[in-house]
Every structure is written in structure tokens, then in C-alpha cells.
Coordinates of all heavy atoms in Angstrom, one line a residue:
M1 N -21.9 8.5 141.4 CA -21.2 9.4 140.5 C -22.0 10.6 140.3 O -23.2 10.5 140.1 CB -21.0 8.6 139.2 CG -20.1 9.3 138.1 SD -20.0 8.3 136.5 CE -21.5 8.7 135.8
S2 N -21.5 11.7 140.2 CA -22.2 12.9 139.9 C -22.5 13.0 138.4 O -21.7 12.5 137.6 CB -21.3 14.2 140.4 OG -20.1 14.3 139.6
S3 N -23.6 13.7 138.2 CA -24.0 13.8 136.8 C -23.1 14.6 136.0 O -22.6 15.6 136.3 CB -25.3 14.5 136.8 OG -25.7 14.8 135.4
L4 N -22.8 14.1 134.8 CA -22.0 14.9 133.9 C -22.7 16.1 133.4 O -22.0 17.1 132.9 CB -21.7 14.1 132.6 CG -20.9 12.8 132.8 CD1 -20.8 12.0 131.4 CD2 -19.5 13.1 133.4
K5 N -24.0 16.4 133.8 CA -24.6 17.6 133.4 C -24.1 18.7 134.3 O -24.4 19.8 133.9 CB -26.0 17.4 133.5 CG -26.6 16.5 132.5 CD -28.1 16.2 132.5 CE -28.6 15.4 131.5 NZ -29.9 14.9 131.5
T6 N -23.3 18.3 135.4 CA -22.9 19.5 136.2 C -21.7 20.2 135.4 O -21.1 21.1 135.9 CB -22.4 18.9 137.5 OG1 -21.4 18.0 137.4 CG2 -23.6 18.3 138.4
I7 N -21.0 19.4 134.5 CA -20.0 20.1 133.6 C -20.5 21.3 132.9 O -21.5 21.1 132.1 CB -19.3 19.1 132.8 CG1 -18.7 17.9 133.7 CG2 -18.2 19.8 131.9 CD1 -18.2 16.8 132.8
P8 N -20.1 22.4 133.0 CA -20.8 23.6 132.4 C -20.5 23.5 130.9 O -19.5 22.8 130.4 CB -19.9 24.7 132.9 CG -18.8 24.4 133.7 CD -19.0 22.9 134.0
L9 N -21.5 23.9 130.2 CA -21.5 23.9 128.7 C -20.5 25.1 128.2 O -21.0 26.1 127.9 CB -22.8 24.1 128.1 CG -22.9 23.8 126.6 CD1 -22.4 22.3 126.3 CD2 -24.4 23.9 126.2
T10 N -19.2 25.0 128.5 CA -18.3 26.0 128.2 C -17.4 25.6 126.9 O -17.6 24.5 126.3 CB -17.3 26.2 129.2 OG1 -16.7 25.0 129.6 CG2 -18.0 26.9 130.4
P11 N -16.7 26.4 126.3 CA -16.0 26.2 125.0 C -15.0 25.0 125.4 O -14.3 24.9 126.3 CB -15.1 27.4 124.7 CG -16.0 28.4 125.3 CD -16.6 27.9 126.6
Y12 N -15.1 24.0 124.5 CA -14.0 23.0 124.6 C -13.6 22.7 123.1 O -14.0 23.4 122.1 CB -14.7 21.7 125.2 CG -15.9 21.3 124.7 CD1 -15.9 20.1 123.6 CD2 -17.2 21.8 125.0 CE1 -17.1 19.9 123.0 CE2 -18.3 21.3 124.5 CZ -18.4 20.4 123.4 OH -19.5 20.1 122.8
S13 N -12.6 21.7 123.0 CA -12.1 21.5 121.7 C -13.1 21.0 120.7 O -14.0 20.1 121.0 CB -10.9 20.5 121.7 OG -11.3 19.2 122.2
T14 N -13.1 21.4 119.6 CA -13.9 20.9 118.4 C -13.1 20.6 117.3 O -12.1 21.1 117.0 CB -15.0 22.1 118.0 OG1 -14.1 23.2 117.6 CG2 -15.8 22.6 119.1
P15 N -13.6 19.5 116.5 CA -12.9 19.0 115.5 C -12.7 20.1 114.2 O -13.5 20.9 114.1 CB -13.7 17.8 114.9 CG -15.1 18.0 115.5 CD -15.0 18.9 116.6
K16 N -11.6 19.9 113.6 CA -11.3 20.8 112.5 C -10.7 20.1 111.3 O -10.2 18.9 111.4 CB -10.1 21.8 112.8 CG -10.5 22.8 114.0 CD -11.3 24.1 113.5 CE -11.6 25.0 114.6 NZ -12.4 24.6 115.6
V17 N -10.9 20.6 110.1 CA -10.3 19.9 109.0 C -8.7 19.8 109.0 O -8.1 20.8 109.4 CB -10.7 20.7 107.6 CG1 -10.1 20.0 106.3 CG2 -12.2 20.8 107.5
G18 N -8.2 18.5 108.9 CA -6.9 18.4 109.0 C -6.3 18.0 107.7 O -6.9 18.2 106.6
A19 N -5.0 17.6 107.6 CA -4.3 17.4 106.3 C -5.0 16.2 105.7 O -5.0 16.2 104.4 CB -2.8 16.8 106.7
G20 N -5.6 15.3 106.3 CA -6.5 14.2 105.6 C -7.8 14.6 105.3 O -8.6 13.8 105.0
G21 N -8.2 15.9 105.5 CA -9.7 16.3 105.2 C -10.4 16.1 106.5 O -10.0 16.0 107.6
K22 N -11.8 16.0 106.3 CA -12.7 15.8 107.3 C -12.7 14.3 107.7 O -12.7 13.4 106.6 CB -14.1 16.1 106.9 CG -14.2 17.7 106.7 CD -15.7 18.2 106.5 CE -15.7 19.6 106.4 NZ -16.9 20.2 106.0
T23 N -12.5 13.9 108.9 CA -12.2 12.6 109.4 C -13.5 11.7 109.1 O -13.4 10.4 109.2 CB -11.8 12.5 110.8 OG1 -12.6 13.4 111.5 CG2 -10.4 13.0 110.9
G24 N -14.6 12.3 108.9 CA -15.8 11.4 108.6 C -15.7 10.6 107.4 O -16.4 9.6 107.2
T25 N -14.8 11.0 106.5 CA -14.7 10.2 105.4 C -14.0 8.9 105.5 O -14.0 8.1 104.7 CB -13.9 11.0 104.2 OG1 -12.7 11.3 104.8 CG2 -14.7 12.3 103.9
W26 N -13.4 8.7 106.7 CA -12.7 7.4 107.0 C -13.6 6.4 107.5 O -13.1 5.3 107.6 CB -11.8 7.7 108.2 CG -10.6 8.9 108.1 CD1 -10.6 9.6 107.0 CD2 -9.6 9.1 109.0 NE1 -9.5 10.6 107.1 CE2 -9.0 10.3 108.3 CE3 -9.3 8.7 110.2 CZ2 -8.0 10.8 109.0 CZ3 -8.1 9.2 110.9 CH2 -7.4 10.4 110.2
R27 N -14.9 6.6 107.8 CA -15.7 5.8 108.6 C -16.3 4.6 107.5 O -16.7 5.0 106.4 CB -16.9 6.7 108.9 CG -17.9 6.0 110.0 CD -18.8 7.0 110.4 NE -19.7 7.7 109.3 CZ -19.7 8.9 109.1 NH1 -19.1 9.8 109.8 NH2 -20.4 9.4 108.1
I28 N -16.3 3.5 108.2 CA -17.0 2.4 107.5 C -18.2 2.0 108.2 O -19.1 1.3 107.6 CB -16.1 1.1 107.3 CG1 -15.6 0.5 108.6 CG2 -15.0 1.5 106.3 CD1 -14.8 -0.7 108.5
E29 N -18.4 2.4 109.4 CA -19.6 2.2 110.0 C -19.9 3.4 110.8 O -19.2 4.3 111.2 CB -19.5 1.1 111.4 CG -19.4 -0.2 110.9 CD -19.4 -1.3 111.9 OE1 -18.8 -1.0 113.0 OE2 -20.1 -2.4 111.8
R30 N -21.4 3.7 110.9 CA -21.7 5.2 111.6 C -22.6 4.8 112.8 O -23.4 3.8 112.9 CB -22.5 6.0 110.6 CG -23.9 5.4 110.2 CD -24.7 6.5 109.6 NE -24.0 7.3 108.5 CZ -24.2 8.5 108.1 NH1 -25.2 9.1 108.8 NH2 -23.5 9.1 107.2
P31 N -22.3 5.4 113.9 CA -23.1 5.4 115.1 C -24.5 5.9 114.9 O -24.6 7.0 114.4 CB -22.4 6.0 116.2 CG -21.5 7.1 115.5 CD -21.2 6.6 114.1
V32 N -25.5 5.3 115.3 CA -26.9 6.0 115.2 C -27.5 5.9 116.6 O -27.5 4.7 117.2 CB -27.7 5.1 114.1 CG1 -29.2 5.6 114.1 CG2 -27.1 5.1 112.8
I33 N -28.0 7.0 117.0 CA -28.5 6.9 118.4 C -30.0 6.8 118.4 O -30.8 7.4 117.5 CB -28.3 8.4 119.0 CG1 -26.7 8.7 119.1 CG2 -29.1 8.6 120.4 CD1 -26.5 10.2 119.5
N34 N -30.4 5.8 119.3 CA -31.9 5.6 119.4 C -32.4 6.5 120.5 O -32.1 6.3 121.6 CB -32.2 4.0 119.8 CG -33.5 3.7 119.9 OD1 -34.4 4.7 120.2 ND2 -34.0 2.5 119.8
Y35 N -33.0 7.7 120.2 CA -33.5 8.6 121.2 C -34.5 8.1 122.2 O -34.8 8.7 123.1 CB -33.8 9.9 120.5 CG -32.6 10.5 120.0 CD1 -32.2 10.6 118.7 CD2 -31.8 11.4 120.8 CE1 -31.2 11.2 118.2 CE2 -30.6 11.9 120.3 CZ -30.3 12.0 119.0 OH -29.3 12.5 118.6
E36 N -35.1 7.0 121.6 CA -36.1 6.4 122.6 C -35.4 5.8 123.8 O -36.0 5.5 124.9 CB -37.0 5.5 121.9 CG -38.0 6.2 120.9 CD -39.1 5.5 120.4 OE1 -39.3 4.2 120.6 OE2 -39.8 6.0 119.5
K37 N -34.3 5.2 123.6 CA -33.5 4.6 124.6 C -32.6 5.4 125.4 O -32.3 5.3 126.6 CB -32.6 3.4 124.0 CG -33.3 2.3 123.6 CD -32.3 1.1 123.3 CE -32.7 -0.2 122.8 NZ -31.6 -1.0 122.4
C38 N -32.2 6.6 124.7 CA -31.2 7.5 125.3 C -31.6 8.1 126.6 O -32.8 8.6 126.7 CB -30.8 8.5 124.3 SG -29.7 9.8 124.9
I39 N -30.8 8.1 127.6 CA -31.2 8.6 129.0 C -30.3 9.9 129.2 O -30.5 10.5 130.3 CB -30.9 7.6 130.1 CG1 -29.4 7.2 130.1 CG2 -31.9 6.5 130.0 CD1 -29.1 6.3 131.4
D40 N -29.7 10.5 128.2 CA -29.0 11.6 128.2 C -27.9 11.8 129.2 O -27.8 12.8 129.9 CB -30.2 12.9 128.5 CG -31.2 12.9 127.4 OD1 -31.0 12.6 126.4 OD2 -32.3 13.2 127.8
C41 N -27.3 10.7 129.4 CA -26.3 10.7 130.5 C -25.0 11.5 130.1 O -24.1 11.6 130.9 CB -25.9 9.3 130.8 SG -25.1 8.3 129.5
L42 N -24.9 11.6 128.8 CA -23.6 12.4 128.2 C -22.3 11.5 128.3 O -21.2 12.1 128.0 CB -23.4 13.8 128.9 CG -24.6 14.8 128.9 CD1 -24.1 16.0 129.8 CD2 -24.8 15.2 127.6
I43 N -22.3 10.3 128.5 CA -21.2 9.4 128.6 C -20.5 9.4 127.2 O -19.4 9.7 127.1 CB -21.4 8.0 129.2 CG1 -21.6 8.2 130.7 CG2 -20.3 7.1 128.8 CD1 -22.0 7.0 131.4
C44 N -21.4 9.3 126.2 CA -20.8 9.3 124.8 C -20.0 10.5 124.5 O -19.0 10.6 123.8 CB -21.8 8.9 123.8 SG -23.2 10.1 123.8
W45 N -20.6 11.6 124.8 CA -20.1 13.0 124.6 C -18.7 13.1 125.3 O -17.7 13.6 124.8 CB -21.1 13.9 125.3 CG -20.4 15.4 125.3 CD1 -20.2 16.3 124.3 CD2 -20.1 16.1 126.5 NE1 -19.8 17.4 124.8 CE2 -19.7 17.4 126.2 CE3 -20.2 15.7 127.9 CZ2 -19.2 18.3 127.1 CZ3 -19.8 16.6 128.9 CH2 -19.3 17.9 128.4
M46 N -18.6 12.6 126.5 CA -17.3 12.6 127.2 C -16.3 11.7 126.7 O -15.1 12.1 126.5 CB -17.4 12.3 128.8 CG -16.3 12.5 129.6 SD -16.6 12.1 131.3 CE -16.7 10.2 131.3
Y47 N -16.6 10.4 126.2 CA -15.7 9.5 125.6 C -15.3 9.8 124.2 O -14.2 9.3 123.8 CB -16.2 8.2 125.9 CG -15.9 7.5 127.1 CD1 -16.8 7.7 128.3 CD2 -14.8 6.8 127.4 CE1 -16.7 7.2 129.5 CE2 -14.5 6.1 128.6 CZ -15.4 6.3 129.7 OH -15.1 5.8 130.9
C48 N -16.1 10.4 123.4 CA -15.7 10.4 122.0 C -14.3 11.0 121.8 O -14.1 12.2 122.2 CB -16.7 11.2 121.2 SG -16.2 11.4 119.4
P49 N -13.3 10.3 121.2 CA -12.0 10.8 121.1 C -11.8 11.9 120.1 O -10.9 12.6 120.1 CB -11.1 9.6 120.8 CG -12.1 8.8 120.0 CD -13.6 9.0 120.7
D50 N -12.8 12.2 119.3 CA -12.7 13.1 118.2 C -13.7 14.3 118.5 O -13.8 15.3 117.6 CB -13.1 12.4 116.8 CG -12.0 11.5 116.4 OD1 -10.8 11.9 116.2 OD2 -12.2 10.3 116.4
S51 N -14.3 14.4 119.5 CA -15.2 15.5 119.8 C -16.3 15.6 118.9 O -16.8 16.6 118.4 CB -14.5 16.9 119.9 OG -13.6 16.9 121.1
A52 N -16.8 14.5 118.3 CA -17.7 14.3 117.3 C -19.1 14.2 117.8 O -20.1 14.0 116.9 CB -17.3 13.3 116.2
I53 N -19.2 14.1 119.1 CA -20.5 14.1 119.7 C -20.8 15.5 120.3 O -20.0 16.0 121.1 CB -20.7 13.0 120.7 CG1 -20.5 11.5 120.0 CG2 -22.0 13.1 121.4 CD1 -20.8 10.5 120.8
I54 N -21.8 16.1 119.7 CA -22.2 17.5 120.2 C -23.1 17.4 121.3 O -24.2 16.7 121.3 CB -22.9 18.2 118.9 CG1 -21.7 18.3 117.7 CG2 -23.2 19.6 119.5 CD1 -22.4 18.6 116.5
R55 N -22.9 18.2 122.3 CA -23.9 18.3 123.4 C -24.7 19.6 123.2 O -24.0 20.7 123.1 CB -23.1 18.5 124.8 CG -23.8 18.8 126.1 CD -23.0 18.9 127.3 NE -23.7 19.4 128.4 CZ -23.0 19.8 129.5 NH1 -21.7 19.6 129.7 NH2 -23.8 20.2 130.5
T56 N -25.9 19.4 123.2 CA -26.8 20.5 122.9 C -27.0 21.4 124.1 O -26.8 20.9 125.3 CB -28.1 20.0 122.2 OG1 -28.8 19.2 123.1 CG2 -27.9 19.3 121.0
E57 N -27.7 22.5 123.8 CA -28.0 23.4 125.0 C -29.0 22.7 126.0 O -28.9 23.1 127.2 CB -28.7 24.7 124.4 CG -27.9 25.5 123.5 CD -27.0 26.6 124.5 OE1 -27.4 26.7 125.5 OE2 -25.9 26.9 123.9
D58 N -29.8 21.9 125.5 CA -30.7 21.1 126.4 C -30.3 19.9 126.9 O -31.0 18.9 127.2 CB -32.1 21.1 125.8 CG -32.1 20.3 124.5 OD1 -31.0 20.0 123.9 OD2 -33.2 19.8 123.9
D59 N -28.8 19.6 126.9 CA -28.1 18.4 127.3 C -28.6 17.2 126.7 O -28.7 16.2 127.4 CB -28.3 18.3 128.9 CG -27.3 19.3 129.6 OD1 -26.2 19.5 129.1 OD2 -27.7 19.7 130.9
R60 N -28.8 17.3 125.4 CA -29.1 16.1 124.6 C -27.7 15.9 123.7 O -26.8 16.7 123.9 CB -30.3 16.2 123.8 CG -31.5 16.4 124.5 CD -32.6 15.6 124.0 NE -32.6 14.3 124.5 CZ -33.4 13.2 124.1 NH1 -34.3 13.6 123.1 NH2 -33.3 12.0 124.4
V61 N -27.6 14.8 123.0 CA -26.5 14.6 122.2 C -26.8 14.4 120.8 O -27.9 13.8 120.4 CB -25.6 13.3 122.7 CG1 -25.0 13.6 124.0 CG2 -26.4 12.1 122.8
K62 N -25.9 14.8 119.9 CA -26.1 14.5 118.4 C -24.7 14.2 117.8 O -23.7 14.8 118.4 CB -26.9 15.5 117.6 CG -26.3 16.9 117.6 CD -27.2 17.8 116.8 CE -26.6 19.1 116.7 NZ -27.3 20.2 116.0
I63 N -24.6 13.6 116.8 CA -23.3 13.1 116.2 C -23.0 14.0 114.9 O -23.9 14.3 114.1 CB -23.4 11.6 115.8 CG1 -23.5 10.8 117.1 CG2 -22.0 11.3 115.1 CD1 -23.8 9.4 116.9
D64 N -21.7 14.5 114.9 CA -21.3 15.4 113.9 C -20.6 14.3 112.9 O -19.5 13.9 113.0 CB -20.3 16.3 114.4 CG -19.8 17.1 113.2 OD1 -20.0 16.8 112.0 OD2 -19.1 18.2 113.5
Y65 N -21.4 13.9 111.8 CA -20.9 12.9 110.9 C -19.9 13.4 109.9 O -19.2 12.6 109.3 CB -22.1 12.3 110.1 CG -23.1 11.5 110.9 CD1 -24.4 11.8 111.2 CD2 -22.7 10.1 111.5 CE1 -25.3 11.1 112.0 CE2 -23.5 9.4 112.2 CZ -24.7 9.9 112.4 OH -25.6 9.0 113.1
E66 N -19.6 14.7 110.0 CA -18.5 15.2 109.2 C -17.2 14.8 109.7 O -16.1 14.7 109.0 CB -18.6 16.8 109.3 CG -19.8 17.4 108.6 CD -19.7 17.9 107.3 OE1 -19.1 19.0 107.2 OE2 -20.1 17.2 106.3
Y67 N -17.2 14.5 111.2 CA -15.9 14.2 111.8 C -15.8 12.9 112.5 O -14.8 12.4 113.0 CB -15.5 15.4 112.7 CG -15.2 16.7 112.0 CD1 -16.2 17.6 112.0 CD2 -13.9 16.8 111.4 CE1 -15.8 18.8 111.2 CE2 -13.7 18.0 110.7 CZ -14.7 19.0 110.6 OH -14.3 20.1 110.0
C68 N -17.1 12.3 112.7 CA -17.0 11.0 113.4 C -16.3 10.0 112.5 O -16.8 9.8 111.3 CB -18.6 10.5 113.5 SG -18.6 8.7 113.9
K69 N -15.3 9.3 113.1 CA -14.5 8.3 112.4 C -15.1 6.9 112.4 O -14.5 6.0 111.8 CB -13.2 8.3 113.0 CG -12.3 9.6 112.5 CD -10.9 9.4 112.8 CE -10.6 9.4 114.3 NZ -9.1 9.8 114.7
G70 N -16.2 6.7 113.2 CA -16.9 5.4 113.3 C -16.0 4.4 114.1 O -16.1 3.2 113.9
C71 N -15.3 4.8 115.1 CA -14.5 3.9 116.0 C -15.3 3.1 116.9 O -14.9 2.0 117.3 CB -13.5 4.8 116.8 SG -14.4 5.8 118.2
G72 N -16.6 3.4 117.1 CA -17.4 2.6 118.0 C -17.3 2.9 119.5 O -18.0 2.1 120.2
I73 N -16.5 3.8 119.9 CA -16.2 3.8 121.3 C -17.5 4.3 122.1 O -18.0 3.8 123.0 CB -15.2 4.8 121.7 CG1 -13.8 4.2 121.3 CG2 -15.1 5.3 123.2 CD1 -12.6 5.1 121.3
C74 N -18.3 5.2 121.5 CA -19.6 5.7 122.0 C -20.6 4.6 122.2 O -21.3 4.5 123.2 CB -20.2 6.7 121.1 SG -20.3 6.4 119.4
A75 N -20.7 3.7 121.2 CA -21.6 2.6 121.2 C -21.2 1.6 122.3 O -21.9 1.0 123.1 CB -21.6 1.8 119.9
N76 N -19.8 1.4 122.5 CA -19.3 0.5 123.4 C -19.5 1.1 125.0 O -19.9 0.4 125.7 CB -17.8 0.4 123.3 CG -17.3 -0.8 124.0 OD1 -17.9 -1.9 123.8 ND2 -16.3 -0.7 124.7
E77 N -19.5 2.4 125.1 CA -19.6 2.9 126.4 C -21.0 3.3 126.8 O -21.3 3.5 128.1 CB -18.7 4.2 126.5 CG -17.2 4.0 126.3 CD -16.7 3.1 127.5 OE1 -17.2 3.1 128.5 OE2 -15.8 2.4 127.2
C78 N -22.0 3.4 125.9 CA -23.3 3.8 126.2 C -23.9 2.7 127.2 O -24.0 1.5 126.9 CB -24.2 3.8 125.0 SG -26.0 4.3 125.4
P79 N -24.3 3.1 128.4 CA -24.8 2.3 129.4 C -26.1 1.6 129.0 O -26.4 0.6 129.7 CB -25.0 3.1 130.6 CG -25.4 4.4 130.2 CD -24.3 4.6 128.9
V80 N -27.0 2.2 128.2 CA -28.3 1.6 127.8 C -28.3 1.0 126.4 O -29.3 0.8 125.8 CB -29.4 2.6 128.1 CG1 -29.5 2.9 129.7 CG2 -29.1 3.8 127.2
K81 N -27.1 0.9 125.8 CA -27.0 0.4 124.5 C -28.0 1.2 123.4 O -28.6 0.6 122.6 CB -27.2 -1.1 124.4 CG -26.3 -1.9 125.2 CD -24.9 -1.8 124.7 CE -23.9 -2.4 125.5 NZ -22.6 -1.8 125.5
A82 N -28.0 2.4 123.5 CA -28.8 3.3 122.7 C -28.0 3.7 121.4 O -28.7 4.3 120.6 CB -29.2 4.7 123.5
I83 N -26.7 3.3 121.3 CA -26.1 3.7 120.0 C -25.7 2.4 119.2 O -25.2 1.4 119.8 CB -24.9 4.4 120.3 CG1 -25.1 5.7 121.0 CG2 -24.1 4.7 119.0 CD1 -23.9 6.5 121.5
E84 N -26.2 2.3 118.0 CA -26.0 1.1 117.2 C -25.1 1.6 116.0 O -25.1 2.6 115.5 CB -27.3 0.6 116.5 CG -27.1 -0.6 115.6 CD -28.4 -1.0 114.9 OE1 -29.3 -0.3 115.1 OE2 -28.4 -2.0 114.2
M85 N -24.1 0.7 115.8 CA -22.9 1.0 114.7 C -23.6 0.3 113.4 O -24.0 -0.9 113.5 CB -21.7 0.3 115.0 CG -21.0 0.9 116.2 SD -20.8 2.7 116.2 CE -19.6 2.9 114.7
V86 N -23.9 1.1 112.3 CA -24.6 0.8 111.2 C -23.5 0.8 110.0 O -22.9 1.8 109.9 CB -25.8 1.6 110.9 CG1 -26.5 1.0 109.7 CG2 -26.8 1.3 112.2
R87 N -23.5 -0.2 109.3 CA -22.5 -0.3 108.1 C -22.8 0.9 107.1 O -24.0 1.1 106.8 CB -22.6 -1.6 107.5 CG -21.6 -1.8 106.3 CD -20.4 -2.6 106.8 NE -19.5 -2.8 105.9 CZ -18.2 -3.0 106.1 NH1 -17.8 -3.3 107.3 NH2 -17.3 -3.2 105.1
E88 N -21.9 1.7 106.6 CA -22.1 2.6 105.7 C -22.3 1.9 104.4 O -21.8 0.9 103.9 CB -20.8 3.5 105.4 CG -20.5 4.4 106.7 CD -21.4 5.6 106.8 OE1 -22.4 5.8 106.1 OE2 -21.2 6.3 107.7
V89 N -23.2 2.4 103.4 CA -23.6 1.9 102.2 C -22.6 2.3 101.1 O -22.0 3.4 101.3 CB -25.0 2.1 101.8 CG1 -26.0 1.3 102.8 CG2 -25.4 3.6 101.8
Ligands
LIG1 S1 -17.8 6.4 116.6 FE1 -16.1 7.3 117.6 S2 -15.7 9.1 116.6 FE2 -17.8 8.5 116.0 S3 -19.0 9.6 117.6 FE3 -18.7 7.6 118.3 S4 -16.8 7.7 119.6 FE4 -17.0 9.6 118.3
LIG2 S1 -24.2 7.3 126.3 FE1 -26.1 6.5 125.4 S2 -27.6 6.9 126.9 FE2 -25.8 8.2 127.2 S3 -26.2 10.3 126.3 FE3 -25.0 8.8 124.9 S4 -26.6 7.9 123.7 FE4 -27.6 8.7 125.4

């Protein structure tokens, strides 16, 4: 499989405030990235259905908690289990 890093960092869809407000308020669990385990494969960035994972200029990932709904897909797809779903308090 070719690296996802070959996908250019060009404009793509980004989350916006909808009729229900910012979707991050729906969340009951939040994904937390363990950067010591993360291998920067960008799979979570590709799979997030809400574009709530941001790919940075240096090809790292960070989560936009304003829009992350806490679905857990990123944690499920991460090949090295670097994302843990943590209960919101
Ligand atoms: S939990 Fe779901 S919405 Fe949030 S960053 Fe992961 S895949 Fe995206
Ligand atoms: S899927 Fe996992 S290893 Fe890959 S970039 Fe996301 S957190 Fe890092």
C-alpha cells in the first residue's frame, strides 16, 4: 500500500457549525492520541467521517474536539492502537 502521505495537503472538506451546533457537544467519549505510539500513518485522518482529525503541515494528526462526535472509528482503525476512547466527565 502506498503511503497516505503521498496525498497532497490540499483543501478538503472541513466541519462547520450545523443546525445542531458544533457536533463535539454530542460526544460521550473522546479519542485521545498517544503520540509515543503513533506512527503518523494518517489512517485515522482518512477514516474520520466528520473531518475532525486535522493533518498538520508536518504530517502529524490532531483531533478537533469542537467537531469530533466520539464515534470511535479512528480508534478502531488505528493499526497500532494509539488512540484510546476516554469517557467524558
Ligand atoms: S471519534 Fe469519530 S468523529 Fe472523533 S475523531 Fe475519531 S473518527 Fe472522527
Ligand atoms: S491511525 Fe493511529 S498511528 Fe496512524 S496517524 Fe492515526 S493515531 Fe497515528
Side-chain angles (χ1 to χ4, degrees):
M1 186 181 80
S2 63
S3 170
L4 295 176
K5 292 178 182 176
T6 60
I7 300 173
L9 193 56
T10 51
Y12 53 91
S13 64
T14 53
K16 295 278 184 301
V17 179
K22 290 183 177 177
T23 49
T25 59
W26 303 1
R27 197 176 53 240
I28 57 171
E29 286 187 323
R30 69 168 48 209
V32 176
I33 299 173
N34 179 339
Y35 287 101
E36 291 189 1
K37 283 188 177 178
C38 175
I39 56 172
D40 304 326
C41 67
L42 300 177
I43 287 176
C44 56
W45 167 73
M46 189 178 72
Y47 272 88
C48 175
D50 291 297
S51 299
I53 295 186
I54 299 162
R55 176 181 168 188
T56 61
E57 293 277 339
D58 58 352
D59 279 333
R60 303 223 75 192
V61 289
K62 63 179 183 179
I63 296 169
D64 181 349
Y65 291 113
E66 300 259 283
Y67 293 99
C68 164
K69 287 191 291 207
C71 67
I73 289 174
C74 54
N76 200 50
E77 296 300 330
C78 176
V80 294
K81 300 296 173 209
I83 303 177
E84 181 185 3
M85 298 302 293
V86 178
R87 187 99 184 159
E88 294 281 6
V89 287

